[in-house]
């Protein structure tokens, strides 16, 4: 149970630090207008469902949050397939921010850099805390990843992510038909 709480705590740390820095410190200081509200770009952007975001643009909290979680779990679980899926999930999320006209590419880029740093920091925090609460175990079976996670459990997580993605694609196709 302590390991579960540690993973949840580090994931929460990722969101709090990535989102907190963006929303409460950087965005108010930079005060950059969103592309969908910028008079120069406003007419060039086609709004989806007349959605026009409010607030400031720099830097993307969505990019920072999703990439911090992706990097944290990539470093925690160390599964190549899950890594590819998490990076793809994060980049797809970033693309939606550009598509909706709520962020400039530089907002996304800085969000990814900050999120990667936060995810790395959370993984180091996890490693430090895990050494304090758990014995040193070496996993040498092909059933487990290097970090000790059962590959069957990772397959379930991947299946859930793929089902959610397929559902989102299905819903978006139905809405626009």
């Amino acid at each position: 149970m302590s390991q579960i709480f540690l993973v949840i705590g580090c994931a929460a740390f990722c969101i709090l630090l990535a989102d907190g820095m963006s929303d409460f410190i950087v965005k108010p200081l930079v005060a950059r207008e969103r592309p969908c509200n910028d008079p120069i770009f406003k007419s060039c952007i086609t709004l989806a469902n007349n959605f026009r975001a409010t607030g400031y643009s720099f830097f993307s909290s969505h990019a920072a949050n999703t990439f911090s979680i992706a990097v944290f779990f990539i470093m925690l679980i160390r599964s190549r397939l899950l890594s590819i899926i998490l990076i793809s999930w994060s980049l797809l999320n970033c693309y939606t921010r550009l598509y909706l006209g709520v962020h400039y590419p530089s907002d996304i880029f800085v969000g990814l850099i900050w999120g990667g740093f936060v995810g790395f920091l959370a993984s180091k925090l996890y490693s430090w805390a895990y050494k304090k609460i758990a014995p040193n175990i070496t996993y040498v079976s092909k059933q487990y990843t290097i970090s000790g996670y059962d590959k069957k459990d990772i397959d379930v997580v991947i299946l859930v992510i793929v089902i959610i993605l397929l559902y989102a694609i299905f819903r978006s196709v139905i809405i626009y038909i």
Side-chain angles (χ1 to χ4, degrees):
M1 283 307 284
S2 59
Q3 185 180 7
I4 291 170
F5 287 126
L6 183 58
V7 169
I8 292 170
C10 286
F13 172 78
C14 284
I15 300 297
L16 288 172
L17 187 57
D19 197 54
M21 178 65 77
S22 173
D23 282 342
F24 301 115
I25 298 173
V26 176
K27 283 184 181 180
L29 285 174
V30 175
R32 182 183 199 183
E33 198 68 44
R34 293 185 183 273
C36 62
N37 297 326
D38 190 332
I40 296 171
F41 298 109
K42 197 176 193 176
S43 62
C44 301
I45 296 173
T46 304
L47 298 176
N49 294 328
N50 282 331
F51 174 73
R52 191 173 300 277
T54 58
Y56 297 120
S57 175
F58 187 81
F59 60 90
S60 172
S61 296
H62 282 86
N65 290 338
T66 58
F67 204 61
S68 69
I69 290 293
V71 168
F72 171 66
F73 280 107
I74 286 168
M75 294 186 75
L76 177 68
I77 297 173
R78 302 199 186 272
S79 162
R80 180 172 294 162
L81 181 59
L82 184 62
S83 298
I84 291 167
I85 287 180
L86 287 175
I87 294 293
S88 300
W89 164 69
S90 180
L91 293 176
L92 178 65
N93 189 308
C94 292
Y95 171 74
T96 64
R97 306 293 92 205
L98 292 170
Y99 179 80
L100 291 172
V102 296
H103 287 292
Y104 296 98
S106 59
D107 300 341
I108 301 297
F109 182 70
V110 172
L112 289 172
I113 290 172
W114 176 246
F117 174 74
V118 170
F120 176 77
L121 192 65
S123 72
K124 292 301 176 189
L125 176 67
Y126 175 87
S127 296
W128 175 80
Y130 185 73
K131 287 177 186 172
K132 300 279 186 196
I133 64 169
N136 189 11
I137 301 172
T138 304
Y139 298 95
V140 277
S141 170
K142 290 187 178 194
Q143 177 183 356
Y144 300 102
T145 65
I146 295 170
S147 53
Y149 289 92
D150 193 333
K151 290 182 179 179
K152 289 179 184 175
D153 293 340
I154 294 169
D155 292 341
V156 171
V157 171
I158 291 170
L159 178 65
V160 169
I161 292 171
V162 168
I163 288 172
I164 291 169
L165 177 63
L166 291 174
Y167 174 75
I169 292 169
F170 176 74
R171 286 289 304 224
S172 65
V173 168
I174 286 179
I175 288 173
Y176 290 105
I177 289 183

